[in-house]
Amino acid sequence: MADAAVTTESRTVEVRKPVLGKNAQLAAQNREFFQSRRLTVLNMVSSPGSGKTAILQRTIKDLTGRVRIGVVVGDLQTDNDARRLRESGAPAVQITTGTTCHLDAEMVAKAMSGLSLDQLDLLVIENVGNLVCPASYDLGEGFRVAVLSVTEGEDKPLKYPVIFKTAHVVLVNKSDIAEVVGFNRELALDNLHRITPDARIFEVSAKTGAGMEHWYAYLEKRIAQQRAI
Amino acid sequence: MADAAVTTESRTVEVRKPVLGKNAQLAAQNREFFQSRRLTVLNMVSSPGSGKTAILQRTIKDLTGRVRIGVVVGDLQTDNDARRLRESGAPAVQITTGTTCHLDAEMVAKAMSGLSLDQLDLLVIENVGNLVCPASYDLGEGFRVAVLSVTEGEDKPLKYPVIFKTAHVVLVNKSDIAEVVGFNRELALDNLHRITPDARIFEVSAKTGAGMEHWYAYLEKRIAQQRAI
């Protein structure tokens, strides 16, 4: 429905711009709030089932004692992910969006009140699993991380360009089964470079931990930079 | 944006209902048109990368000489899928939706003009890869097929209930790598039965062909029923 226009009796109402205009204002407020606290904030987007929560679980555990992480997580239904993340040791707030296919800045602003932000180094916003809608909604984050699983096919950056174009980091996940699923690594990386030439790409496996240390080093660098501003 | 309401100066415009109302009318027209031709039409929905196109490629090849299949396929960008499907021997029309996260009845009505429907037994509408938006948009199809890949996790029916509730058939795909990815088959089937108790479930692998014959038998039965009406 992103570009939809509604024709009623005698007038056409443009839907998308007012919604996004209001969201942009609230996102700017979130951003200012985060920056005033020198808090590093990332917005994590991907298809359903690409492994966002598994990556976060491993990141939280492996960085225990080094980085204090809190999570706001969005799903249509269930609080499964928030429960999984709390079991890994991080405070986590679940947003259930009902039929809405993305988080927006207002939902994030409300959810933040459930976290003690002063006790965090990093706030992760795990978006609804969707390669379309979340692309258009700024949440006020410092940077955006897209996850692409090797099981999804090498062509996904070409077919869903907006979400990959707006990503500062791409985590290519499930590298442990790349061979089994016949993943063409060169083609996938070529497609990513074409669509998002400036993004940092890390090939990882949340399951085995392979490649995760580069992702952690990147995160710690961003947190240090944010503190030094 | 599914439930979004736009507040402008002095009034609130409910977005969703008029859009869906218009779509329902056009979907009813499509449905009447398909039924007048006794054409079997299915709407295929899933996450990005779950294997919709691979399932169709194999179905088209394996049913050559038995079922004449045409495809309307939706993606945000690229005509990769239509090209893949044509190589498998089926006429295929690509719809590129830009930033819109689903097909609608009007897009399908326009795209149909690119196919010789009189020469088809089955029209497949392959929707945009998305587990949220396509759920709310009737295209006028006879039945809806959801694909769930074993790599996506057992909890997806619980987290995206609307799309699974509206499915008449669920194809659990990539069964050949179920063991490698640690797929908990019983849990996934339990979750599917909870959310969509009446759906027919077929466990398949588009790669190896395992289980596909049950899916083909089901398709041929539906086509025969539609012809007999």
Side-chain angles (χ1 to χ4, degrees):
Chain A
M1 231 169 80
D3 280 321
V6 186
T7 306
T8 52
E9 292 120 38
S10 62
R11 65 195 202 292
T12 297
V13 182
E14 284 294 333
V15 171
R16 197 177 180 212
K17 284 182 186 164
V19 171
L20 286 179
K22 186 186 162 203
N23 187 71
Q25 280 177 21
L26 292 170
Q29 287 174 22
N30 286 353
R31 187 165 282 113
E32 202 173 327
F33 177 78
F34 295 140
Q35 286 184 342
S36 71
R37 289 169 177 255
R38 296 183 177 176
L39 182 64
T40 302
V41 181
L42 69 86
N43 176 4
M44 203 168 195
V45 294
S46 81
S47 295
S50 64
K52 290 185 296 304
T53 312
I55 289 171
L56 285 179
Q57 286 179 294
R58 183 148 203 143
T59 303
I60 290 162
K61 278 187 186 162
D62 289 350
L63 294 182
T64 302
R66 282 160 66 190
V67 179
R68 298 168 302 169
I69 303 175
V71 187
V72 169
V73 53
D75 273 303
L76 269 64
Q77 294 293 338
T78 85
D79 63 347
N80 291 356
D81 284 0
R83 283 192 288 112
R84 284 168 65 189
L85 293 161
R86 278 183 217 120
E87 283 166 15
S88 303
V93 177
Q94 180 81 48
I95 303 172
T96 52
T97 64
T99 57
T100 302
C101 51
H102 58 85
L103 294 178
D104 65 29
E106 189 175 7
M107 296 177 197
V108 170
K110 281 182 188 163
M112 283 189 302
S113 63
L115 293 171
S116 304
L117 297 180
D118 285 339
Q119 292 169 34
L120 299 181
D121 303 307
L122 173 67
L123 174 65
V124 177
I125 305 165
E126 184 187 333
N127 221 311
V128 175
N130 193 306
L131 280 186
V132 188
C133 319
S136 309
Y137 286 79
D138 184 7
L139 306 179
E141 73 267 19
F143 64 111
R144 200 174 279 196
V145 178
V147 181
L148 173 69
S149 150
V150 299
T151 66
E152 292 169 45
E154 303 80 6
D155 60 347
K156 292 302 165 290
L158 306 181
K159 290 170 86 173
Y160 300 86
V162 181
I163 207 148
F164 287 99
K165 265 181 193 157
T166 58
H168 301 83
V169 175
V170 179
L171 299 178
V172 181
N173 191 29
K174 308 194 188 180
S175 61
D176 54 297
I177 54 168
E179 207 167 318
V180 177
V181 299
F183 180 63
N184 185 333
R185 178 176 175 272
E186 283 65 37
L187 180 57
L189 294 179
D190 274 359
N191 288 341
L192 280 171
H193 288 309
R194 263 172 73 186
I195 295 294
T196 183
D198 297 328
R200 288 291 303 270
I201 296 171
F202 299 105
E203 296 169 77
V204 301
S205 166
K207 196 171 180 181
T208 67
M212 293 290 282
E213 70 276 16
H214 302 294
W215 158 240
Y216 300 153
Y218 174 87
L219 272 182
E220 292 192 289
K221 197 170 150 192
R222 285 211 71 129
I223 291 165
Q225 282 170 345
Q226 178 71 359
R227 284 224 191 84
I229 288 167
Chain B
M1 234 169 75
D3 279 323
V6 186
T7 306
T8 54
E9 291 123 35
S10 61
R11 67 195 201 290
T12 298
V13 182
E14 284 295 332
V15 171
R16 198 180 181 212
K17 284 180 188 164
V19 169
L20 286 179
K22 186 186 162 203
N23 186 71
Q25 280 176 21
L26 292 170
Q29 287 175 22
N30 286 353
R31 187 166 283 113
E32 201 172 330
F33 177 78
F34 295 141
Q35 286 184 343
S36 71
R37 292 170 174 253
R38 297 183 177 175
L39 182 64
T40 302
V41 181
L42 71 86
N43 176 5
M44 202 169 196
V45 295
S46 81
S47 295
S50 64
K52 290 185 297 304
T53 311
I55 288 171
L56 286 179
Q57 287 180 294
R58 182 148 203 143
T59 303
I60 290 162
K61 279 187 185 160
D62 289 351
L63 293 182
T64 302
R66 285 160 63 190
V67 179
R68 298 167 303 169
I69 303 174
V71 188
V72 169
V73 52
D75 273 303
L76 270 64
Q77 295 292 338
T78 83
D79 65 346
N80 290 356
D81 285 358
R83 284 193 286 108
R84 284 168 65 189
L85 293 161
R86 279 184 215 118
E87 284 166 14
S88 303
V93 177
Q94 180 81 48
I95 302 172
T96 52
T97 64
T99 58
T100 301
C101 51
H102 60 86
L103 294 179
D104 65 29
E106 188 176 8
M107 296 177 197
V108 171
K110 282 184 188 161
M112 283 189 300
S113 63
L115 292 171
S116 305
L117 297 181
D118 285 339
Q119 292 169 33
L120 299 181
D121 304 307
L122 174 67
L123 176 65
V124 178
I125 306 165
E126 184 187 332
N127 221 312
V128 175
N130 193 305
L131 280 187
V132 189
C133 320
S136 309
Y137 286 80
D138 184 8
L139 306 179
E141 72 269 17
F143 63 112
R144 199 174 277 196
V145 177
V147 181
L148 173 69
S149 151
V150 299
T151 64
E152 291 169 46
E154 302 80 7
D155 60 346
K156 293 301 165 291
L158 307 181
K159 289 169 86 174
Y160 301 86
V162 182
I163 206 148
F164 287 99
K165 265 180 193 157
T166 59
H168 302 84
V169 175
V170 179
L171 299 177
V172 180
N173 191 31
K174 307 193 188 180
S175 61
D176 55 296
I177 54 168
E179 207 169 319
V180 177
V181 299
F183 180 63
N184 185 333
R185 180 177 173 272
E186 283 65 37
L187 180 59
L189 294 180
D190 274 359
N191 288 341
L192 281 171
H193 288 308
R194 262 173 72 184
I195 295 293
T196 183
D198 297 326
R200 289 291 304 270
I201 297 171
F202 300 105
E203 297 170 76
V204 301
S205 166
K207 197 172 181 180
T208 66
M212 294 291 282
E213 70 275 18
H214 303 294
W215 159 240
Y216 300 154
Y218 174 87
L219 272 182
E220 292 192 291
K221 198 171 149 192
R222 285 210 72 128
I223 292 164
Q225 283 171 342
Q226 178 73 0
R227 282 222 193 88
I229 287 167

